[in-house]
Amino acid sequence: MPRVFSLIHRNPRLFWGWLCFASRLMPWGRLPAPVREKIILRVAWNCRSRYEWAQHLEIALRIGVRDDEIVATTLFEDSIEVEHDRLLMRACDQLLQCKLIDETTWEALSRSYSDKEMIELVMLTGHYEMIAGVLINSGIEVEPAIEDVIQAFFRRLS
């Protein structure tokens, strides 16, 4: 069981409501799993939440997100080669920086996602920004098995 659950369960009154809400985003969200994980990785990277990034690195790899796609979630927007991923990362960055996706980005993403999915994209980003804050402030450490995944990922990149 990931340590994040026991961390948040220190406040059971918040834990159960959070768990219900969070499960509607992941794993039972409407966004395709690779898109969801790329967004979460971008949030974790921007927030510098190592624990969140590590957990979702493992999940992303498990569901088939390629190493190069994961690396792209860490790059400056102009360096991201795949247009769709660049749009997703731009939306995520805009939400984290000023809480507003600009009209051009929103319209471009709306061609690929329904209104329900667009709302989910905004809520997913905000939720994982909140969780990143909890994780960073707790000082929680990555589980050893997940640390092994990180190290294997970095070895493949070098």
Side-chain angles (χ1 to χ4, degrees), residues 103-153:
E103 189 174 327
T104 304
T105 305
W106 185 275
E107 286 178 9
L109 285 171
S110 292
R111 291 185 206 113
S112 299
Y113 300 105
S114 68
D115 289 346
K116 288 178 182 178
E117 290 169 322
M118 290 299 293
I119 291 168
E120 186 172 321
L121 187 153
V122 173
M123 293 184 85
L124 180 73
T125 302
H127 173 258
Y128 278 92
E129 180 181 23
M130 175 190 72
I131 293 301
V134 171
L135 295 168
I136 292 165
N137 283 283
S138 75
I140 193 171
E141 293 189 17
V142 174
E143 292 85 355
I146 300 297
E147 186 65 44
D148 292 345
V149 172
I150 296 171
Q151 297 310 314
F153 176 73

Side-chain angles (χ1 to χ4, degrees), residues 91-104:
C92 186
D93 292 351
Q94 289 174 352
L95 285 166
L96 293 172
Q97 292 166 9
C98 63
K99 309 301 179 232
L100 179 67
I101 299 174
D102 70 36
E103 189 174 327
T104 304

Side-chain angles (χ1 to χ4, degrees), residues 22-62:
S23 70
R24 299 309 187 271
L25 298 171
M26 189 260 172
W28 295 301
R30 295 177 184 266
L31 290 170
V35 168
R36 178 195 71 221
E37 292 308 317
K38 289 175 191 180
I39 291 168
I40 296 169
L41 286 168
R42 183 65 163 209
V43 172
W45 185 263
N46 283 342
C47 293
R48 303 299 187 251
S49 176
R50 187 173 193 276
Y51 183 92
E52 187 170 71
W53 193 84
Q55 287 292 329
H56 288 276
L57 169 67
E58 191 276 331
I59 294 168
L61 291 168
R62 189 168 8 106

Side-chain angles (χ1 to χ4, degrees), residues 64-82:
V65 179
R66 296 185 322 267
D67 289 353
D68 63 311
E69 293 175 294
I70 292 167
V71 169
T73 68
T74 71
L75 301 175
F76 289 110
E77 179 189 323
D78 295 342
S79 301
I80 300 170
E81 294 180 15
V82 178

